[in-house]
Amino acid sequence: MASKTCSPSNKLRFLLGMVLFLLMNMATAQLSSTFYSTTCPRALSTIKSAVNSAVSNEARMGASLPRLHFHDCFVNGCDGSILLDDTANMTGEKTAVPNSNSARGFEVIDTIKSQVESLCPGVVSCADIVAVAARDSVVALGGPSWIVLLGRRDSTTASLSAANSNIPAPTLNLSGLITAFSNKGFTAKEMVALSGSHTIGQARCTTFRTRIYNETNIDSTFATSLRANCPSNGGDNSLSPLDTTSSTSFDNAYFKNLQGQKGLLHSDQQLFSGGSTDSQVNAYSSNLGSFTTDFANAMVKMGNLSPLTGTSGQIRTNCRKAN
């Protein structure tokens, strides 16, 4: 019986796969939960204090900061690119469709950066500040905590086109959502867990108008109540809570709302609309602990998306512009 041998092409494919795997994991390996323990020991407590103050001042900020992290990480990795203002030579990500008149919390990040810079000039990156602020915001609204790995560095450029193409739109169907998250290495289960961040925060009328006027898989009383604040024409920036039950508490009410056809966005209700993720929505709806555990783990994974480490990138002095 002839022995099986690997063809050269199979060997090459295997080697290329190993190289890609190693490259993806090298950056994460350079992140560490103790990255600033000697260079800026008060960094984490300073960020937490500033986030608590911002969320106490406006509960919605507790949802805006995690979203800033999400929109940063899904565009060429967690590199603080979303924070860069436009320049004469570069159009940043702030004017991208998912971010324009929508992404917020930049001033909170500025405040934290200036406080941290006064403690340890040139040490703590803007990308790390965003990652830690996201965690502290969730905790401030009663959600789970997780260990944020640190050591990300800041990009010197941003990408409007990548922001427009990589951030999942609220109009996506389930298959589109699964693909968008799969492209970043997430399973459908992790996508459902991360979508649970919509248990806090608000959305603009323009993002859910079509749903409340044209869709049928929506509770009629819920739809009617939303139309009062979101007319069929105008009022694009009028806000409604993503979680109609408890929009300033990080809980699993979002999933219970989906079971009652009270998802605000089209993409929300797609998670519970007779498709493959219905069972996961049911599971999280009945088990808060499993949701918060899965959410925290998925946030750690998201925070590890393609960070700049070592000598790549820089530590911006001002989060809005490259040094």
Side-chain angles (χ1 to χ4, degrees):
M1 184 173 162
S3 63
K4 292 181 180 176
T5 57
C6 287
S7 68
S9 60
N10 282 339
K11 283 181 179 176
L12 184 60
R13 272 198 290 269
F14 175 75
L15 287 170
L16 284 172
M18 286 301 294
V19 169
L20 280 170
F21 175 79
L22 289 169
L23 285 173
M24 287 174 67
N25 283 277
M26 273 169 60
T28 302
Q30 291 174 16
L31 299 182
S32 158
S33 61
T34 57
F35 193 82
Y36 298 116
S37 13
T38 54
T39 54
C40 196
R42 290 170 56 197
L44 294 184
S45 60
T46 301
I47 296 170
K48 187 176 186 68
S49 176
V51 168
N52 285 344
S53 174
V55 175
S56 172
N57 187 49
E58 184 202 16
R60 185 187 175 203
M61 191 55 69
S64 300
L65 291 170
R67 184 166 181 261
L68 205 56
H69 183 42
F70 168 44
H71 284 209
D72 182 29
C73 294
F74 262 55
V75 182
N76 297 324
C78 311
D79 60 2
S81 59
I82 193 171
L83 306 174
L84 290 171
D85 287 338
D86 293 354
T87 68
N89 304 314
M90 183 204 73
T91 305
E93 297 164 17
K94 290 181 177 179
T95 54
V97 173
N99 295 331
S100 181
N101 295 315
S102 180
R104 58 199 302 276
F106 299 108
E107 295 79 9
V108 175
I109 301 300
D110 289 339
T111 298
I112 296 171
K113 179 62 173 173
S114 88
Q115 290 177 359
V116 172
E117 279 297 302
S118 67
L119 288 174
C120 328
V123 172
V124 182
S125 69
C126 300
D128 274 349
I129 289 172
V130 172
V132 175
R135 187 268 313 273
D136 292 345
S137 297
V138 169
V139 172
L141 293 181
S145 187
W146 58 90
I147 294 171
V148 179
L149 298 179
L150 302 163
R152 299 167 193 79
R153 288 167 65 84
D154 299 321
S155 67
T156 56
T157 187
S159 174
L160 177 71
S161 60
N164 277 322
S165 60
N166 290 356
I167 298 170
T171 52
L172 288 180
N173 291 329
L174 180 59
S175 60
L177 289 167
I178 290 172
T179 299
F181 280 81
S182 174
N183 287 342
K184 301 297 178 184
F186 292 98
T187 64
K189 182 179 180 180
E190 289 168 329
M191 180 270 289
V192 175
L194 288 170
S195 298
S197 62
H198 287 180
T199 182
I200 52 176
Q202 303 189 57
R204 296 178 302 140
C205 166
T206 185
T207 62
F208 59 84
R209 178 184 284 119
T210 300
R211 171 156 166 74
I212 65 172
Y213 285 97
N214 298 340
E215 295 187 6
T216 54
N217 62 340
I218 185 169
D219 179 88
S220 58
T221 306
F222 177 61
T224 301
S225 69
L226 290 165
R227 289 172 189 159
N229 195 39
C230 181
S232 52
N233 290 295
D236 281 4
N237 293 321
S238 296
L239 299 170
S240 286
L242 284 156
D243 171 357
T244 186
T245 312
S246 50
S247 66
T248 59
S249 294
F250 196 99
D251 52 28
N252 60 345
Y254 167 80
F255 298 107
K256 297 176 181 179
N257 295 335
L258 296 185
Q259 291 174 316
Q261 296 196 319
K262 294 179 182 177
L264 183 65
L265 306 177
H266 173 82
S267 55
D268 287 328
Q269 196 59 55
Q270 281 292 294
L271 302 184
F272 192 84
S273 204
S276 60
T277 52
D278 282 17
S279 58
Q280 196 55 55
V281 169
N282 287 333
Y284 287 153
S285 173
S286 61
N287 192 328
L288 173 63
S290 80
F291 162 53
T292 55
T293 296
D294 289 353
F295 177 80
N297 288 334
M299 287 297 287
V300 171
K301 183 171 175 177
M302 186 176 79
N304 293 342
L305 285 174
S306 308
L308 296 171
T309 59
T311 55
S312 300
Q314 62 182 212
I315 305 298
R316 284 185 220 139
T317 304
N318 176 342
C319 290
R320 293 175 178 265
K321 61 181 186 179
N323 295 343

